[in-house]
Amino acid sequence: MLVLITYDVNTENKEGKTRLRKVARICVNYGQRVQNSVFECMLDPVQLFSVKEALLKVIDKKKDSLRFYNLGNSYRNRIEHYGAKDTYLPDDVIIF
């Protein structure tokens, strides 16, 4: 299923900047960055549970925000892209 993960980490201090790097590193392990704090991730239920657990251990719930949007398996008709950066389908093969 396609899950959109978004976050907003308060970076007013050194600890916040460290949390931001950790959150981004976790998200990179699960999906493709499509904007600065937005990742599209193809996850099964176990992976979704794992990424949530990992991210919730890192963020400060009083200062940071974390959102998960479950677009499911019928996501193709729910995504529109305009503007800069080439688009891709999340289940396509990505070569670095």
Side-chain angles (χ1 to χ4, degrees), residues 14-69:
K14 183 178 178 182
E15 292 80 16
K17 292 175 184 174
T18 299
R19 285 194 314 275
L20 177 63
R21 285 190 300 277
K22 288 180 181 179
V23 167
R25 195 173 311 121
I26 292 167
C27 289
V28 164
N29 290 332
Y30 287 90
Q32 177 71 33
R33 183 189 300 262
V34 292
Q35 292 186 357
N36 287 340
S37 299
V38 181
F39 284 79
E40 290 179 348
C41 307
M42 290 300 295
L43 306 172
D44 62 35
V46 173
Q47 291 170 318
L48 179 57
F49 178 82
S50 296
V51 72
K52 278 185 183 180
E53 288 293 309
L55 291 170
L56 289 171
K57 287 179 182 176
V58 172
I59 68 164
D60 182 334
K61 292 180 185 174
K62 294 180 182 177
K63 297 179 181 177
D64 306 331
S65 172
L66 179 63
R67 290 176 174 253
F68 295 86
Y69 298 89

